[in-house]
């Protein structure tokens, strides 16, 4: 969730580091910093804010050092401040580390290191790394890193350096991207290829479980046991603007394809190792509160609101608590009947949505406890809520939300299962079944992403339509609303979502020959009823695209075009079901020549009411 750059060679390091960080700005960040080895020590400069804030701070200084590290941070643990910005150093200031990812066992490591006399300055999980390396350091930073890796749990791309070995950088990767750039008498490290393209197109792409020593003369790669690994040279032939998007044409498509990783990150550390219960210690919720809850309110805007609708269905079904869902811009104006003893869940990707913040404050004013589900650490809703359930989707650049939405769904599933467990409304074997299926969803989503051409062909077929309808029942209706919104906001095709049972109460008047209807039929207990609604629109000439698992039924006459979803537990269907709808909207927008990442009149973070 950040940008990493490292350099060791014959040039001044700082201009190389700043240029590399500049080329990673698209990733999103809230602070930036550098460290260089000079005058027998390490010089660290870091600032909260944009990269320009850091550049202004160092503008009048000359750094002759030829080795260093750079970092742009997108906060996960600790607010965006100068102190929490990377790089982080050990007690002596002679070891420095930058890091991308999440150290899951950082609290345990931090407590142990404190007992060993180490002094911590920041609120980050990253700071355990320099202190852990310091603990094992005996003049060889590479060997110290190998020992430190034995203690780490979580995801990380780590880049470290030591005063006593100024031209030697050491790196390690586990579940976070890292790439090396190969030069003549100089070598580079970065979290993404764009940072390297100004200097070299010859690279090593690190895999999980690999560690490396980087000097001006070369790069030696090994596994975490120190066994050497031979790396092929990968020659990059992308254009720079493509590389910034990882080779994808648009950020939206890149973010759609990042959803399997985003799901893994959001679930990481939140399901017990035995797979039988949810661990949400970060919420600091008293089990008595869960057992005694009478009502829950969910409030959000746009895509986050649609995630809240799914949340309502799931919490009511699993935890048996009444749930109301409100559009945040309406919530406080209806004088809601909430107070002490009620739980309010606010959902916002950015954590800065003005209407959602206002709803949060209204709930707090009335004495309700507030949980925020958000993607941005240190955001307004994160600071103002009583507790926060972070979604680890990573920076989302495209205006139309995709990976943030599926991680919000994952957060609701975790919360629903936890509540159900505390209230005793879900048998243990059913809880285990759902959690097992939840942890396998990333693979199911990937199978859909591997079938992109199938969805693109449907989008091309309907690209010139003026109006489409989405229908579904129960959880499928919630997903239909999100699919409709995606199509409207980026392709500008008018689309409406309807509860399928409402068709005969007026909507059928709009169904004429050739009108496309996208039908979701994923719920076994509602399948036959949805099938009847599909037949109603087909009888009036509609052309139907159906998303279904099959549910053991003959699906031959379910639609004119059928998208078969990978099997999962029915309650989890909204996650795989939304992926084809995201791709359909994306390709419809592309074929219509629309601005995919920045649709007209819309902004990523809506900070005004």
């Amino acid at each position: 969730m950040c940008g990493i750059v490292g350099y060791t060679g014959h040039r001044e390091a700082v201009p190389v580091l700043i240029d590399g960080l500049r080329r990673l700005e698209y990733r999103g960040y809230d602070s930036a910093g550098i460290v260089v080895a000079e005058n027998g020590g390490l010089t660290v400069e870091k600032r909260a804010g944009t990269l320009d804030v850091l550049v202004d701070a160092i503008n009048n200084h000359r750094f002759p050092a030829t080795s260093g590290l750079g970092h742009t941070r997108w906060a996960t643990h600790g607010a965006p401040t100068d102190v929490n910005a990377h790089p982080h150093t050990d007690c002596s200031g002679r070891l420095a580390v930058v890091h991308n990812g999440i150290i899951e066992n950082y609290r345990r490591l931090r407590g142990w290191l404190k007992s060993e006399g180490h002094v911590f300055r920041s609120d980050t999980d990253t700071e355990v790394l320099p202190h852990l390396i310091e603990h094992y350091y005996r003049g060889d930073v590479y060997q110290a890193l190998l020992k430190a890796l034995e203690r780490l749990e979580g995801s990380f791309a780590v880049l470290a350096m030591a005063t006593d070995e100024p031209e030697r950088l050491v790196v390690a990767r586990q579940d976070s991207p890292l790439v090396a750039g190969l030069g003549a008498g100089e070598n580079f490290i970065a979290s993404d290829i764009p940072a390297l393209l100004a200097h070299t197109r010859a690279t090593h792409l690190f895999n999980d479980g690999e560690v490396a020593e980087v000097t001006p003369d070369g790069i030696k790669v090994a596994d975490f046991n120190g066994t050497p690994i031979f790396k092929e040279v990968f020659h990059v032939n992308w254009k720079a603007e493509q590389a910034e998007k990882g080779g994808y044409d648009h950020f939206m498509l890149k973010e759609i394809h990042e959803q399997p990783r985003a799901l893994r990150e959001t679930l990481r550390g939140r399901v017990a190792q035995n797979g039988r219960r949810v661990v949400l210690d970060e919420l600091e919720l008293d089990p008595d509160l869960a057992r005694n809850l009478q009502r829950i309110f969910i409030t959000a805007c746009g895509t986050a609101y649609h995630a809240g609708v799914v949340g309502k269905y799931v919490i009511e079904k699993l935890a048996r608590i009444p749930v109301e869902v409100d559009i945040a811009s309406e919530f406080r104006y209806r004088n809601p009947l909430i107070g002490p003893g009620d739980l309010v869940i606010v959902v916002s990707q950015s954590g800065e949505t003005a209407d959602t913040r206002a709803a949060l404050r209204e709930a707090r004013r009335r004495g309700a406890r507030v949980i925020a589900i958000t993607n941005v650490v240190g955001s307004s809703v994160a600071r103002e809520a009583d507790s926060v359930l972070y979604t680890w989707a990573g920076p989302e650049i495209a205006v139309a939300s995709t990976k943030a939405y599926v991680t919000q769904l994952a957060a609701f599933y975790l919360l629903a299962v936890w509540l159900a467990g505390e209230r005793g409304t879900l048998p243990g074997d059913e809880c285990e079944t759902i959690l097992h299926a939840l942890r396998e969803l990333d693979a199911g989503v990937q199978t859909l992403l591997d079938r992109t051409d199938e969805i693109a062909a449907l989008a091309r077929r309907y690209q010139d339509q003026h109006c489409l309808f989405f229908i579904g029942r129960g959880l499928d209706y919630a997903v239909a609303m999100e699919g409709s919104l995606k199509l409207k906001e980026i392709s500008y095709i008018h689309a409406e979502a309807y509860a399928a049972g409402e068709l005969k109460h007026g909507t059928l008047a709009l169904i004429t020959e050739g009108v496309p209807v996208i039908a979701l039929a994923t719920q076994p207990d509602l399948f036959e009823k949805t099938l009847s609604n599909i037949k109603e629109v087909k009888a009036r000439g509609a052309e139907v695209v159906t998303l279904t698992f099959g549910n053991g039924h003959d699906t031959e006459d379910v639609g004119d075009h059928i998208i078969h979803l990978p099997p999962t537990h029915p309650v989890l269907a909204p996650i795989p079901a939304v992926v084809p709808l995201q791709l359909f909207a994306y390709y419809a927008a592309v074929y219509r020549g629309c601005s995919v990442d920045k649709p007209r009149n819309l902004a990523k973070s809506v900070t005004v009411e």
Side-chain angles (χ1 to χ4, degrees), residues 10 164 221 259 313 334 342 389 434 462 500 505 592 601:
H10 51 79
D164 298 334
V221 184
Q259 289 179 126
Y313 279 104
R334 70 173 179 87
D342 291 326
L389 185 55
I434 292 173
Y462 299 119
H505 298 293
R592 289 166 64 88
N601 305 330

Side-chain angles (χ1 to χ4, degrees), residues 461-473:
R461 180 181 183 89
Y462 299 119
Q463 70 181 79
D464 294 325
Q465 290 291 330
H466 299 294
C467 184
L468 278 85
F469 294 96
F470 292 74
I471 62 172
R473 288 173 177 264

Side-chain angles (χ1 to χ4, degrees), residues 35-44 67 88-90 93-97 161-164 166:
V35 58
V36 292
E38 60 180 2
N39 302 321
L42 297 179
T43 300
V44 177
S67 293
H88 290 287
T89 59
D90 67 336
R94 300 183 69 79
L95 289 162
V97 169
M161 66 186 301
T163 296
D164 298 334

Side-chain angles (χ1 to χ4, degrees), residues 253-270:
L253 185 60
K254 179 175 184 284
E255 289 156 10
I256 290 172
H257 280 264
E258 287 174 340
Q259 289 179 126
R261 176 185 293 275
L263 283 168
R264 290 194 295 272
E265 292 297 332
T266 297
L267 297 177
R268 190 185 301 280
R270 288 168 169 166

Side-chain angles (χ1 to χ4, degrees), residues 367-600:
R369 182 182 178 88
V370 179
I371 293 175
I373 296 177
T374 185
N375 196 37
V376 181
V377 172
S379 60
S380 295
V381 302
R383 292 194 305 271
E384 295 179 31
D386 294 298
S387 51
V388 188
L389 185 55
Y390 284 114
T391 59
W392 303 122
E396 191 176 65
I397 309 303
V399 166
S401 181
T402 52
K403 62 178 181 173
Y405 172 77
V406 298
T407 56
Q408 287 164 0
L409 296 187
F412 272 118
Y413 287 125
L414 290 169
L415 186 58
V417 174
W418 183 84
L419 288 168
E422 294 299 327
R423 293 168 64 86
T425 56
L426 192 65
D429 57 344
E430 180 69 2
C431 174
E432 187 174 354
T433 298
I434 292 173
L435 291 177
H436 177 73
L438 187 60
R439 295 170 78 175
E440 290 190 332
L441 274 179
D442 62 319
V445 169
Q446 187 60 56
T447 66
L448 289 165
L449 297 174
D450 293 339
R451 292 160 52 196
T452 294
D453 290 348
E454 174 188 346
I455 313 301
L458 287 171
R460 186 177 288 281
R461 180 181 183 89
Y462 299 119
Q463 70 181 79
D464 294 325
Q465 290 291 330
H466 299 294
C467 184
L468 278 85
F469 294 96
F470 292 74
I471 62 172
R473 288 173 177 264
L475 283 168
D476 287 336
Y477 174 47
V479 180
M481 289 193 289
E482 175 60 12
S484 171
L485 175 63
K486 281 292 155 289
L487 189 64
K488 283 184 284 196
E489 65 184 338
I490 64 169
S491 76
Y492 316 144
I493 296 173
H494 178 248
E496 293 296 336
Y498 286 93
E502 284 294 291
L503 287 170
K504 53 188 168 291
H505 298 293
T507 314
L508 276 175
L510 299 174
I511 303 299
T512 56
E513 189 72 29
V515 168
V517 174
I518 297 179
L520 291 104
T522 71
Q523 301 302 298
D525 55 335
L526 296 171
F527 184 84
E528 294 295 344
K529 293 186 180 298
T530 303
L531 181 57
S532 295
N533 301 134
I534 291 171
K535 291 183 177 297
E536 287 172 357
V537 295
K538 282 179 64 65
R540 286 148 180 88
E543 191 166 317
V544 179
V545 177
T546 305
L547 282 70
T548 183
F549 296 121
N551 302 313
H553 299 269
D554 182 2
T555 59
E556 204 169 282
D557 62 348
V558 169
D560 300 286
H561 309 279
I562 301 174
I563 299 172
H564 290 283
L565 301 173
T568 190
H569 193 288
V571 79
L572 304 178
I575 289 181
V578 80
V579 175
L581 303 185
Q582 294 169 342
L583 289 167
F584 181 83
Y586 169 79
Y587 283 106
V590 169
Y591 295 145
R592 289 166 64 88
C594 301
S595 176
V596 174
D597 288 334
K598 297 179 180 179
R600 66 191 181 203

